[in-house]
Amino acid sequence: MSVDTATVRRVARLARIKVSDEEAERMTGELNSILGFVEQLDEVDVSGVEPMTSVVAIKMRLREDVVTDGNVPEKVVGNAPVCDDDFFMVPKVVE
Amino acid sequence: MLIDTRTPDPKKFINGATGDWEIVIGMEVHAQVTSKSKLFSGASAEYGGAPNAHVSLVDAAMPGMLPVINEECVKQAVRTGLGLKAAINHRSVFDRKNYFYPDLPQGYQISQFKQPIVGEGTVILDMPGETVEVGVERLHLEQDAGKSIHDQHPTMSFVDLNRSGVALMEIVSKPDLRSSDEAKAYLSKLRTILRYLGTCDGNMEEGSMRADINVSVRKPGGEFGTRCEIKNVNSIRFAGQAIEYEARRQIGILEDGGAIAQETRLFDPREGVTRSMRSKEEAHDYRYFPDPDLLPLEFDQAFVDALAAGLPELPDDKKARFIADYGVTPYDAMVLTLEQASADFFEKVAKGRDAKTSANWVINEFFGRLNKEGKEISASPMSAEQLGEIIDLIADNTISGKIAKDLFEIVWLEGGNPRELVESRGMRQVTDTGAIEAAVDEVIAANPDKAEQAKAKPTLSGWFVGQVMKKTGGKANPQAVNEIIKARLGIE
């Protein structure tokens, strides 16, 4: 598998990362060498092997349904560049 | 992949300029899970609240915060699956659905993509003259997003994350619906099931239940057409209007030789039209992948069995029991079982009384009155005991059906014990034949010409019944009056 510059641009846009033509060009090469490296794994025959989801065999813990958190709006909006009346304020996003 | 389970029915076709068209509808319903806290955090899931008050640092996606799943939300999803007669998956996986929007602080929604918690199920619809089986494709658990408010400032949007992370069940139907009426019935039935189960309050105004509706049209029985998705419809009535509009819009395009562009649309209830949401189309690439913060969700059959044992009687079962045990019509049984509270009320009234009379009074008078005042059954000023007492008074001939309606009105408005009210207000019906005979004789004597006419044309005797009822203040037993008039006039 390999990617072209157009794919790199598309992935960058989906991730909201601005890349210049020059950077896109460079990253195409870098990404392809990473993909090539990972592709070596294809040589291993994994037919019949369950995908591993955790290094230790544990089950997911479940939490009791009780309210234990919240009521900290000042902490929630504490790092926001702009806020008002405990709301986050962002550039208008409606068309 | 898509299987057509329905036989085209001309009654549902839409007539276009080039012939008949059939609508094909599938739905994705988002139902908010009833729980105290959120799906992956301990913040309150309650509706409302001061801005960002029901938010933990997990919901705000602060660095280093990790999700821990709420057991009750898992149970609610399984209960709902059981209520939909669906396959329960003992192992399911949470995935990240990636997109950017200011009310989604994580930059992804935790959802279930390839391995949902609930698989295929069924919803049965009672339509006039037929029973429609609608396939459920799947049900999965996911997080709700926050809320953006756009009208408070000229250049800024306000974001409140109180909804962020609240558990939702997305219930996906198969494309088995063929008319707007079926689509509305599906939403209504799903809402009834969820409310019986107590897994979602079904409050569409508060957004606890909303539907994304996929609509396409085709020549009857033909290949499925290209569909459009109408997003976020928040009332059953709007769903019907949106589908009708959208189907006709698509037929118009196809009949003019055009092609349907697969797209997302919004319904505008004021204009009654759907509009394209052009701007978001380009970015529809969610790049799902398993959430590395969460292990697969696993449970055993004993967990499912325990939940199954605790389920209430479901609407379809209750309806079948009402038909079998009370002998009410399928339609009445459907109306009586729409809400659990309604069904409970009816059963209290019908206990030890004639079931059909009870059903009539509960549906026509009681529900009718509640609807007229826009009241929920829980806010009713009349109890099942009071209504039952009124029915007893008719059954033992203390009052007539007509007087009973007056009594209903008094009990509704003023309260009190119906039997005592009948005594204290002198509403007891006159069954004393002597008194009725006297009244009949008086009316006949005063109207000899009408009496002659009635002898020739017996249907006119109704006029005499009315006169006698008036004379007795409506308290005479109408059946006795009728019989005496017929005897006096000598008609069969």
Side-chain angles (χ1 to χ4, degrees), chain B residues 14 46 96 270 320 405 479:
Chain B
I14 294 187
E46 204 179 317
R96 291 185 180 179
R270 263 177 311 180
K405 289 191 185 177
Q479 218 176 330

Side-chain angles (χ1 to χ4, degrees), chain B residues 114 288 327 332 338 374 462:
Chain B
K114 283 189 182 153
Y288 283 96
D332 284 356
L338 269 180

Side-chain angles (χ1 to χ4, degrees), chain B residues 205-259:
Chain B
E205 274 138 52
E206 286 181 3
S208 317
M209 203 180 128
R210 47 198 196 249
D212 296 343
I213 310 171
N214 287 296
V215 179
S216 65
V217 297
R218 63 174 181 183
K219 287 291 179 182
E223 293 284 307
F224 285 120
T226 304
R227 65 192 156 85
C228 290
E229 182 180 19
I230 311 164
K231 279 271 182 203
N232 262 327
V233 179
N234 65 355
S235 100
I236 294 177
R237 192 162 55 89
F238 291 165
Q241 291 172 1
I243 292 165
E244 288 294 324
Y245 175 85
E246 180 60 19
R248 284 180 170 79
R249 185 188 72 87
Q250 293 183 14
I251 291 168
I253 292 173
L254 293 170
E255 293 195 328
D256 286 344

Side-chain angles (χ1 to χ4, degrees), chain B residues 126 319 322-323 328-339:
Chain B
D126 296 302
K319 186 187 153 206
F322 278 19
I323 296 169
V328 296
T329 64
Y331 179 81
D332 284 356
M334 190 268 287
V335 174
L336 290 167
T337 54
L338 269 180
E339 297 281 341

